[in-house]
Amino acid sequence: MRLLRSTDLALRLLMRLAVLGDAMPTTREVAADMEVPYTHAAKVVAELQHLGLVDARRGRGGGLTLSERGRTASVGAVVRAFEGDGDVVECEGDNPCPLSPGCRLRGALRQAREAFYASLDPLTLADVTADPTGPLLLQIGRPA
């Protein structure tokens, strides 16, 4: 299973915010630090705001911070929110699989996806930003 680019960026952005303390980077700064297009970062930030994981303030002195919910969020919940609950393989659609009516693989893949999410559920941002990851996150982008 491969994560969507937006899921990957959401996780890295949350991890970065988790170690920045009182610093409030802008979306533009985060995009530059993470070396992603601003428009992509802005969409991810908007979704993180919608999920209640990030607070964003506009204007002078504004920027991004983790919300209280973001500080305690499960990594599995974040991945689920961005990846959705769709099937790992597309069995229906434009070219439906001829095995659909009696396929056992679809159910097995669904169970595997749920096991993947379940293994991430106990992890929080604190878990994934502990040493040695935290100091590395502070080195991303501009010199600290």
Side-chain angles (χ1 to χ4, degrees), residues 26-128:
T26 64
T27 302
R28 199 164 297 282
E29 290 169 339
V30 167
D33 289 348
M34 300 289 184
E35 299 179 0
V36 297
Y38 169 76
T39 54
H40 186 58
K43 288 177 186 176
V44 169
V45 167
E47 182 62 20
L48 290 170
Q49 278 185 273
H50 176 74
L51 294 170
L53 304 175
V54 169
D55 292 324
R57 294 188 199 128
R58 294 180 182 258
R60 190 176 199 83
L64 305 171
T65 58
L66 278 180
S67 67
E68 279 303 313
R69 184 174 181 187
R71 292 182 207 294
T72 60
S74 154
V75 172
V78 174
V79 173
R80 267 190 196 87
F82 275 83
E83 294 290 318
D85 59 359
D87 285 327
V88 175
V89 293
E90 187 175 328
C91 300
E92 310 299 327
D94 293 338
N95 296 313
C97 177
L99 301 176
S100 288
C103 182
R104 302 184 86 189
L105 179 60
R106 187 177 190 179
L109 291 173
R110 189 175 295 127
Q111 284 181 316
R113 182 194 65 217
E114 288 308 313
F116 171 74
Y117 289 149
S119 70
L120 296 175
D121 283 340
L123 296 174
T124 65
L125 288 177
D127 296 323
V128 296

